[in-house]
Amino acid sequence: MRLDLDGIRAAHERIRPYIHRTPVLTSSRLDEASGVSLFFKCENLQKIGTFKARGATNAVFSLDDASAKRGVATHSSGNHGAAVARAAKLRGVRAHIVMPSNSARVKIRAVEGYGAQIAFCEPTEEAREAVCAELINKTGATLIHSFENEHVIAGQGTAAVEFVEDVSDLDVVMCPVGGGGLLSGTAVAAKSIRPNIKVIAVEPANADDAAQSFRAGRRIVTEKKFTIADGLRTNVGEPNFGIIQRYVDDILTVSEEAIVAAMRRIWDTMKIIIEPSAAVPYAAISEGMSGLSGKRVGIILTGGNIDLDALPWITTR
Amino acid sequence: MRLDLDGIRAAHERIRPYIHRTPVLTSSRLDEASGVSLFFKCENLQKIGTFKARGATNAVFSLDDASAKRGVATHSSGNHGAAVARAAKLRGVRAHIVMPSNSARVKIRAVEGYGAQIAFCEPTEEAREAVCAELINKTGATLIHSFENEHVIAGQGTAAVEFVEDVSDLDVVMCPVGGGGLLSGTAVAAKSIRPNIKVIAVEPANADDAAQSFRAGRRIVTEKKFTIADGLRTNVGEPNFGIIQRYVDDILTVSEEAIVAAMRRIWDTMKIIIEPSAAVPYAAISEGMSGLSGKRVGIILTGGNIDLDALPWITTR
């Protein structure tokens, strides 16, 4: 895959009118607790509440007019679907979003709100791909895959460009890894601008295919257990894994308990809403991940889309 | 009371090392829903989660060394208490905080965390003042009143200075009113820098002494009903009311239901945590407050300190 800093910078110019340059927040309380200088890139405050606005917007606006006219399609458990729906609305083209029937209500509502066509399917990877392929066959729409699409990856990398511009001398940048779209874009952007930076990814122990693959040196596809970090259940994509092998320094895993505790800690301390997937890197920090003491560590908080009626620390009747 | 822009600017210089310059966020979704261009000054992302860090820090750092050495004291249901405790810790002096015995746990923990001495009292204004007066008598500490203190008011006004600097051409600035510390500082700062700006305050209908007083042209002290906006239960202070009469354009009231709905809407849409008191101005907007269509309206989101185990839209068992 051709993915370089020039492509990411071009993506940044392309999507600039449609996204927020999100703030970087700090917390002296979390710094004291961890012994690390933490910087949080708040993509939860991004349009539609997730960094996924970046990649989808870049992909939709990279299409030539003839292709765009036939519409776009994707399958997504939610955030990427909303991102494609919004980008299509901004460009004035039709979007077909295939969603598993058990998607979170908040994510379904978001997609509907942008006027996209939703096709529900069984909650399996196979069903999603089959329904999407059928739609594309029928309509001529272009598939915008949520993490394997090159323009999506370039778009996701723009958050890291802003991050290293806004915070000087970051020693480490951390983000979660699911399919690897954000991680591969982040790694290329960060390492190209600042070659000595370390890029560390974190994923739930219950969905640790990326960590397994990274250690084995080959892409391993695993059957996933449940994880509350629903954005990270996916296996790493093939093109993503190639980039990860080349640019990423380490991949760590964290427990479900650590994810919920980290999420709650960030809500309580920083007064921002992050979804469980976004809490995964900080969970590694708060679990005492070694070697970062005194370092300047940037964490990408990936999203804030969560059902406020179903918080993991509250038992409702 | 001598309160002018010079005093507020001096406060800003004094407290700058100890506070965040908080971001201003926007939401196209909330703009579309209201027909107003909204700008949110995020004091929920301020140190200790509230604008009160500004006023208390200014008051504590305005003391001469001899006074500071004898310590500081205040009575507060929470946020101001935490703010004084933190400022005292930063200056290395002792703080005595008188808190009603029914204060929210999250607010008690915050005060304790800064190493202040807490004296609990009955949850009445009289008991708070009596216990605090006794402490001051015994220790020689300086009282830092949460809204009548001139340095506190000047400090609170610094948020509006940043706001009008960061957002050009604001037509209106809105904030909630309880004791009136924030409102009086905001009004002086905003009107001094931008004479044509309108300053509009909002309070819960269940605690509408400021609105009543404003209409009557004299300070009316009322018995308060319950309001979820616990930061706004206080009656407006005497010095504050003088400033409000001179500088404020209107004071509106909103229902409890509107406050909870506005809070939930901001959590859901903007992915930030605000406490009920902070939702009060946006509640007036979302209830269709007239005359602002097409205007550029700045809202100060005052704080984000809320018990995440007790959210108003969730019934726990």
Side-chain angles (χ1 to χ4, degrees):
Chain A
M1 174 176 294
R2 185 192 63 73
L3 180 76
D4 57 18
L5 185 58
D6 285 349
I8 296 172
R9 289 210 189 275
H12 206 200
E13 284 308 308
R14 191 176 291 121
I15 69 179
R16 202 186 293 277
Y18 310 111
I19 61 158
H20 288 304
R21 186 172 185 117
T22 51
V24 175
L25 299 182
T26 60
S27 164
S28 49
R29 220 175 281 188
L30 296 185
D31 284 1
E32 279 161 30
S34 63
V36 179
S37 287
L38 296 166
F39 300 85
F40 296 92
K41 174 72 171 164
C42 291
E43 289 294 299
N44 58 326
L45 308 181
Q46 186 52 269
K47 295 283 185 184
I48 75 160
T50 151
F51 73 93
K52 299 222 170 193
R54 296 177 182 267
T57 305
N58 189 47
V60 170
F61 280 83
S62 294
L63 292 175
D64 62 51
D65 286 344
S67 305
K69 220 173 190 172
R70 292 192 298 274
V72 294
T74 196
H75 49 90
S76 159
S77 58
N79 274 333
H80 173 69
V84 170
R86 173 175 175 270
K89 189 183 179 196
L90 285 169
R91 186 150 180 194
V93 303
R94 183 179 290 245
H96 304 273
I97 315 293
V98 179
M99 300 183 77
S101 51
N102 62 351
S103 300
R105 278 174 303 164
V106 63
K107 298 190 175 179
I108 297 170
R109 279 198 302 266
V111 172
E112 287 173 341
Y114 293 112
Q117 314 271 16
I118 301 182
F120 289 104
C121 67
E122 291 301 299
T124 68
E125 195 58 29
E126 296 71 33
R128 282 162 55 155
E129 290 179 6
V131 172
C132 195
E134 197 185 306
L135 267 170
I136 287 170
N137 210 21
K138 215 164 58 185
T139 60
T142 300
L143 173 66
I144 299 188
H145 191 278
S146 60
F147 49 86
E148 295 187 353
N149 180 297
E150 175 185 331
H151 299 293
V152 169
I153 299 175
Q156 317 304 32
T158 62
V161 171
E162 296 174 8
F163 209 175
V164 296
E165 279 176 3
D166 289 351
V167 184
S168 62
D169 297 333
L170 273 186
D171 298 307
V172 179
V173 63
M174 296 177 78
C175 70
V177 54
L182 176 67
L183 178 57
S184 45
T186 298
V188 171
K191 292 267 186 181
S192 303
I193 297 174
R194 205 175 144 68
N196 292 328
I197 206 166
K198 297 266 177 270
V199 177
I200 299 176
V202 189
E203 70 184 346
N206 282 1
D208 68 344
D209 70 288
Q212 285 191 37
S213 302
F214 189 75
R215 285 193 295 269
R218 63 187 169 83
R219 181 164 166 267
I220 296 171
V221 169
T222 63
E223 277 297 315
K224 298 304 169 63
K225 297 179 212 144
F226 172 83
T227 172
I228 193 172
D230 59 349
L232 309 178
R233 283 177 202 157
T234 326
N235 281 288
V236 166
E238 190 73 59
N240 309 86
F241 185 62
I243 298 172
I244 289 167
Q245 277 191 297
R246 181 160 165 209
Y247 289 99
V248 171
D249 294 283
D250 205 356
I251 302 183
L252 311 172
T253 62
V254 291
S255 70
E256 295 296 297
E257 295 70 30
I259 295 168
V260 173
M263 174 177 152
R264 170 76 189 246
R265 188 76 190 271
I266 287 175
W267 284 46
D268 256 333
T269 311
M270 299 185 65
K271 316 302 179 191
I272 54 175
I273 291 170
I274 59 169
E275 58 190 68
S277 302
V280 164
Y282 176 70
I285 298 277
S286 64
E287 291 287 283
M289 165 194 175
S290 63
L292 295 183
S293 188
K295 300 278 192 216
R296 291 164 67 82
V297 176
I299 292 178
I300 301 179
L301 294 177
T302 46
N305 292 321
I306 184 169
D307 186 341
L308 293 175
D309 289 317
L311 301 179
W313 53 79
I314 295 178
T315 314
T316 54
R317 66 180 174 205
Chain B
M1 176 176 295
R2 186 190 63 74
L3 179 78
D4 58 19
L5 185 58
D6 285 347
I8 296 171
R9 289 211 188 274
H12 205 201
E13 284 308 308
R14 191 175 292 121
I15 68 179
R16 200 186 294 275
Y18 310 111
I19 62 158
H20 287 305
R21 186 171 184 116
T22 52
V24 174
L25 300 181
T26 59
S27 164
S28 48
R29 219 174 281 186
L30 297 185
D31 284 1
E32 278 160 30
S34 63
V36 179
S37 288
L38 295 166
F39 300 85
F40 295 92
K41 174 72 172 166
C42 290
E43 289 295 301
N44 58 325
L45 307 182
Q46 186 51 268
K47 294 283 186 184
I48 75 162
T50 150
F51 73 93
K52 299 222 170 193
R54 296 176 182 267
T57 305
N58 189 47
V60 169
F61 280 82
S62 293
L63 290 176
D64 61 50
D65 286 344
S67 305
K69 220 173 189 172
R70 292 192 298 272
V72 294
T74 196
H75 48 91
S76 160
S77 57
N79 274 333
H80 174 68
V84 169
R86 173 176 176 270
K89 190 184 179 196
L90 286 169
R91 186 152 179 191
V93 303
R94 182 179 291 244
H96 305 272
I97 314 293
V98 179
M99 300 183 78
S101 50
N102 62 351
S103 300
R105 277 174 303 163
V106 63
K107 298 191 174 178
I108 296 170
R109 280 198 301 267
V111 171
E112 286 172 341
Y114 293 113
Q117 315 271 15
I118 301 182
F120 288 104
C121 67
E122 291 301 300
T124 68
E125 195 58 29
E126 295 71 34
R128 282 162 55 155
E129 290 180 5
V131 172
C132 195
E134 198 185 306
L135 268 169
I136 287 170
N137 210 23
K138 214 163 61 185
T139 60
T142 301
L143 173 67
I144 299 187
H145 192 279
S146 61
F147 49 86
E148 296 187 353
N149 180 296
E150 175 185 332
H151 299 292
V152 168
I153 299 175
Q156 318 302 33
T158 62
V161 171
E162 295 174 9
F163 209 176
V164 296
E165 279 176 5
D166 289 352
V167 185
S168 63
D169 298 333
L170 274 185
D171 297 308
V172 178
V173 62
M174 295 178 78
C175 70
V177 55
L182 176 66
L183 177 57
S184 45
T186 299
V188 171
K191 291 268 185 177
S192 301
I193 297 173
R194 206 174 143 69
N196 291 328
I197 207 168
K198 295 267 178 271
V199 177
I200 300 177
V202 189
E203 70 184 347
N206 282 2
D208 68 344
D209 69 288
Q212 284 191 37
S213 301
F214 190 75
R215 283 195 296 271
R218 63 188 169 83
R219 182 165 166 267
I220 296 172
V221 169
T222 62
E223 276 298 315
K224 298 301 169 64
K225 296 179 213 143
F226 171 83
T227 172
I228 193 172
D230 58 350
L232 309 179
R233 283 177 199 155
T234 327
N235 281 288
V236 166
E238 190 73 57
N240 310 86
F241 185 62
I243 297 171
I244 289 167
Q245 277 192 296
R246 183 160 164 208
Y247 289 98
V248 172
D249 294 283
D250 205 357
I251 301 183
L252 311 172
T253 62
V254 291
S255 70
E256 295 296 297
E257 295 71 29
I259 295 169
V260 173
M263 175 177 152
R264 170 77 189 246
R265 187 75 190 271
I266 286 176
W267 284 46
D268 257 332
T269 311
M270 299 185 65
K271 314 304 179 191
I272 54 175
I273 291 171
I274 60 168
E275 58 190 68
S277 301
V280 164
Y282 177 70
I285 298 278
S286 63
E287 291 287 284
M289 173 197 165
S290 62
L292 295 183
S293 188
K295 301 280 192 212
R296 293 164 66 83
V297 176
I299 291 179
I300 300 178
L301 294 177
T302 46
N305 293 321
I306 184 168
D307 186 343
L308 294 175
D309 289 317
L311 301 179
W313 53 79
I314 295 178
T315 313
T316 55
R317 66 180 172 201

